[in-house]
Amino acid sequence: MADRTRRSLTANRAAFTRARFIIGFLAAPVLLYLIYVISPYAQAFSIAMTDWRGVSAAPGFVGLANFQRLLGDGVFWTAVRHNGLLLVLMPIGTLVIALFFAFLLNAGGSTAASGVFGARFYRVVFFFPQVLAVAIVAVLFQQVFRPDESGMLNAPLIALGLEPVGFLSDPGVALWSILGVLIWQAVGFYVVLFSAGMASIPRELYEAAEIDGAGRGRLFFRVTLPLLWDTVQVGWIYLGIAALDVFAIVWVMTAEHGGPDHATTVMAAEIYRNAFQYFKFGYASAMGVVLFFFTVAFAAVALRLSRRERVEF
Amino acid sequence: MADNSFTRRELLRAAALAGVLLPGGALAACASPGGGSGAPAPAATGATSAANPLGIAETAPFEVVIFDGGFGDAYARQVHEPLFAARHPKAAIKHTATKEIAKTLQPRFAGGNPPEFVNNSGDNAMDFGALAQDGQLQDLGPLLDAPSWDDPAVKVRDTILPSAVELGTYDGAYCVLNYASTVWGIWYSTKLFGDNGWQVPKTWEEFTALCERIQKSGKCAPFTYAGKHPFYIYETILTLAAKIGGVEVLKDIDNLAEGAWKAEPVATAATAFAGLGAKYLLRGTEGLDHIQTQTAHNKYQVAMLPCGSWLENEQKDTTPPDFGYAMFPLPSFTASDALPYGTLHSRPGEEFFVAARSANPRAGMEYMRAMLSKEGAGRFSEMVSTLTVVKGAAEGRTLKPGLRSAAARLKEAGENTTYFRFRQWYKELHDEAAAATGQLMAGRLPVAAWADRIQRKSDEIRNDASVKKYTRR
């Protein structure tokens, strides 16, 4: 009897020590997370119900008026539509291109288990855009897309006597230009991520499949993709959240910060414009709250849809 | 199958709950308005005297915040601050320069410790409407009635342009000092025009004929504007509209009057510029920003562009020495224009204010009095190539050719100057006008639809009870 009590006491003490150890490690980050992540979120919820203009110490409470106004705000819904479009196209574009490149780098060589010539070099080159700050990428592409003879893309067109394309000034083209930059910037990271994933796929599987007569396409869809599915799923969610968060590229690159004529605006840009240019912090917070729910909803849906059997190897 | 959806769901639920359960109270510390900061500490004062008419506390320090943009901050460090210090040597000045006025200062206003003196300017300036609404702007009435820095017998009010007082008045109180006097017009190179025998056009017919001639000569494009910032072109459209229909046109627009944007003179002016846009623009104009178009101008790739009088200072590093900047006023549209040839868009700009709830607002006002002295204003004009609202302060100073030209045009215009104020009052209306005008110039929006769009925004703002309204007479 006494023995059992002692044993349970010892167990309790061990559990307590372990809990103290874990809490000791977790307390600081959790506290920081509460103060700098959760608390601003919570504050956004309360500011969204005021008419705060950013300078007053005592803003007026207006209830749900900001949300009501949001329903009739055409520009905001244009922004939502653009985010929606990016949400679909940016992950698809990025993942397809990144998978293709990664496959070439890892299984595009003379044998299925080797990459194309110079694969290690390309792997570094693909990663370059990731190293550049977003603002620099935006300024860089402003020059690439310039509408006159100094534009990298338009100069050859003009030299050939063709009409230059208004990459950023034609409302019908501008959003596609932005999409291109977003994908260009993101692809490198996913090439590296997928390369790492592919490198962990046993070579024997490829060799066996090859001996069985599988071509490259079949190899990719029957061996690589299923074994890489977890990684693709992570990339999908990251890219989706990035598509909802697009801001700097649009803000720096486009005319009128989301123009021309709201053709490229996104939710984050509208939040920034209303807060820091119109000084309607209450209204901007309401937009922020809506964006928060969009993001949470996307994450929930994405996780649910992409869940499937994991292939063990 | 490794199912970890439970933890995911938990995480999501926790995130959602966190938003609901923490209603801003316990952890609200950084972003939220502070609440209950109470009355501000009593402001520093001193005895008034002939040398100190505003009664500043001679030993109390104060802070000067300057927007480090097109004008830089050297004029404050090298001209105004030494001028102030010469009369009040014991009052320490803390100088702060920033490119981001709102980001630097907004938390300080919300937190109740604003700096005394602010140059509120640039893309990220604080909204004057919001500041006025919240009582953050010091009433500068005492400054206007104080004796001027140079002559005790003359009040400050009588040394500056009356329009400066009008434009700085919010809700009946003069509280914003518009210091620089901006003149808009169409800029050209006297060298380029001289070499080709081109004449400054005085009528719209002469203007389009000149455009045609330049186009045919193949030497350069006739016209451009900062396509990425369509403000530059709606500015000219509205000025032409005022010339055709009189100043009432712009007053109606500022006062959000019904149908103001659909008025006949506005439509005529818009049609005229849309026509210009369809034929005579530098290639790619709509995708180029102000620096790119201005640089094209300096490279003789384009003959004319509309801009304000800060142009010369902004381009000083890329302008060829013999370029010969000069400007001409908008040509007369017809012989029956309401305003005569020479009418200019000119208005005091570059805003400064004193924070009412700062520790030492009187020192801020005294600093303004120093800025409005002949020396303070004259040296400012020389340094940044811009006129000020101080009458006659630039006389006898060495001015660059462009500024000399602008000053001469302003003198010729006399009483015939126009301006509009909605850009400062209702930024959303400005943004809508800019977006629509960009499309108008690109030929994607007909004039009627352009007017409809901006009018709709104007109506929306008029009917929005949460937006503070202003009127001008």
Side-chain angles (χ1 to χ4, degrees), chain A residues 42-43 52-57 69 142 146-147 149 158 169 171 253 256 261 278-280 303-304 307, chain B residues 5 8-9 22 28 31-33 35 106 127 133-134 228 283-284 286 292 428 431 435 439 444 453 464 466:
Chain A
Q43 288 180 40
W52 196 41
R53 301 210 57 188
V55 283
S56 168
R69 176 186 298 252
Q142 261 183 337
R146 250 182 94 136
E149 290 83 353
I158 293 171
S169 53
M253 240 174 92
E256 305 157 46
D261 201 13
Y278 300 159
F279 281 78
K280 288 156 70 172
L303 286 168
R304 166 107 3 205
R307 194 195 302 161
Chain B
S5 71
R8 280 181 198 138
R9 194 175 301 144
L22 297 169
S32 281
Q106 193 238 330
D127 185 72
Q133 216 168 330
D134 202 44
K228 273 185 133 179
R283 178 145 67 189
E286 63 168 335
Q292 288 164 340
E428 294 171 82
D431 282 357
Q439 298 308 301
R444 278 189 281 267
R453 253 187 74 171
D464 185 343
S466 72

Side-chain angles (χ1 to χ4, degrees), chain B residues 161-468:
Chain B
L161 298 177
S163 58
V165 178
E166 194 204 321
L167 261 64
T169 300
Y170 281 78
D171 280 334
Y174 176 64
C175 47
V176 177
L177 167 62
N178 290 274
Y179 188 56
S181 181
T182 312
V183 183
W184 278 265
I186 299 182
W187 294 78
Y188 66 103
S189 151
T190 48
K191 176 179 158 51
L192 184 70
F193 269 49
D195 288 353
N196 292 288
W198 297 335
Q199 300 291 324
V200 167
K202 293 201 165 175
T203 65
W204 195 260
E205 268 184 349
E206 286 174 21
F207 184 44
T208 45
L210 175 65
C211 287
E212 189 65 36
R213 199 175 150 195
I214 296 173
Q215 184 100 302
K216 286 229 173 85
S217 79
K219 291 197 166 95
C220 60
F223 194 78
T224 191
Y225 69 97
K228 273 185 133 179
H229 310 291
F231 160 73
Y232 285 81
I233 200 72
Y234 92 55
E235 180 275 320
T236 22
I237 292 176
L238 290 185
T239 307
L240 186 62
K243 229 177 107 51
I244 297 171
V247 287
E248 291 305 318
V249 173
L250 299 185
K251 284 184 184 169
D252 285 349
I253 284 178
D254 284 343
N255 292 337
L256 304 175
E258 279 182 44
W261 287 87
K262 296 183 176 182
E264 190 59 40
V266 181
T268 309
T271 310
F273 273 96
L276 208 63
K279 279 194 202 157
Y280 300 121
L281 288 185
L282 172 75
R283 178 145 67 189
T285 287
E286 63 168 335
L288 299 174
D289 68 13
H290 57 300
I291 297 294
Q292 288 164 340
T293 47
Q294 288 162 196
T295 306
H297 191 214
N298 287 156
K299 288 181 176 167
Y300 302 111
Q301 290 165 352
V302 61
M304 298 174 276
L305 63 83
C307 194
S309 49
W310 61 81
L311 171 67
E312 189 173 35
N313 193 55
E314 192 166 45
Q315 290 299 111
K316 62 179 186 284
D317 297 329
T318 49
T319 314
D322 60 348
F323 187 78
Y325 260 128
M327 58 153 283
F328 60 85
L330 273 181
S332 292
F333 196 70
T334 62
S336 53
D337 279 1
L339 297 172
Y341 176 75
T343 299
L344 285 177
H345 173 196
S346 169
R347 56 160 283 167
E350 196 65 18
E351 286 127 334
F352 297 81
F353 74 92
V354 174
R357 299 193 194 148
S358 63
N360 194 1
R362 276 166 192 274
M365 281 202 276
E366 177 72 355
Y367 183 85
M368 282 185 174
R369 204 167 70 93
M371 284 172 77
L372 294 171
S373 67
K374 280 255 155 60
E375 192 188 349
R379 289 181 57 198
F380 174 86
S381 286
E382 270 182 343
M383 199 164 198
V384 301
S385 199
T386 297
L387 299 170
T388 64
V389 296
V390 181
K391 292 181 200 160
E395 279 164 23
R397 301 270 168 187
T398 26
L399 305 180
K400 295 193 184 104
L403 184 60
R404 218 164 42 229
S405 164
R409 295 297 91 75
L410 189 60
K411 203 164 182 178
E412 287 158 19
E415 296 289 297
N416 295 311
T417 57
T418 65
Y419 53 80
F420 48 88
R421 301 190 64 185
F422 74 92
R423 188 188 179 190
Q424 279 73 26
W425 288 345
Y426 314 109
K427 193 155 191 314
E428 294 171 82
L429 184 57
H430 157 80
D431 282 357
E432 183 72 4
T437 310
Q439 298 308 301
L440 173 83
M441 290 302 285
R444 278 189 281 267
L445 199 61
V447 172
W450 169 83
D452 272 348
R453 253 187 74 171
I454 310 177
Q455 187 62 48
R456 207 176 311 133
K457 194 74 190 182
S458 169
D459 294 344
E460 201 178 285
I461 293 172
R462 174 166 15 92
N463 298 326
D464 185 343
S466 72
V467 179
K468 188 172 169 53

Side-chain angles (χ1 to χ4, degrees), chain A residues 230 233 303 306-312, chain B residues 1-8:
Chain A
D230 277 351
Q233 180 187 341
L303 286 168
S306 60
R307 194 195 302 161
R308 57 185 259 181
E309 292 287 318
R310 177 177 287 162
V311 184
E312 303 281 355
Chain B
M1 177 177 164
D3 187 357
N4 52 354
S5 71
F6 178 66
T7 48
R8 280 181 198 138

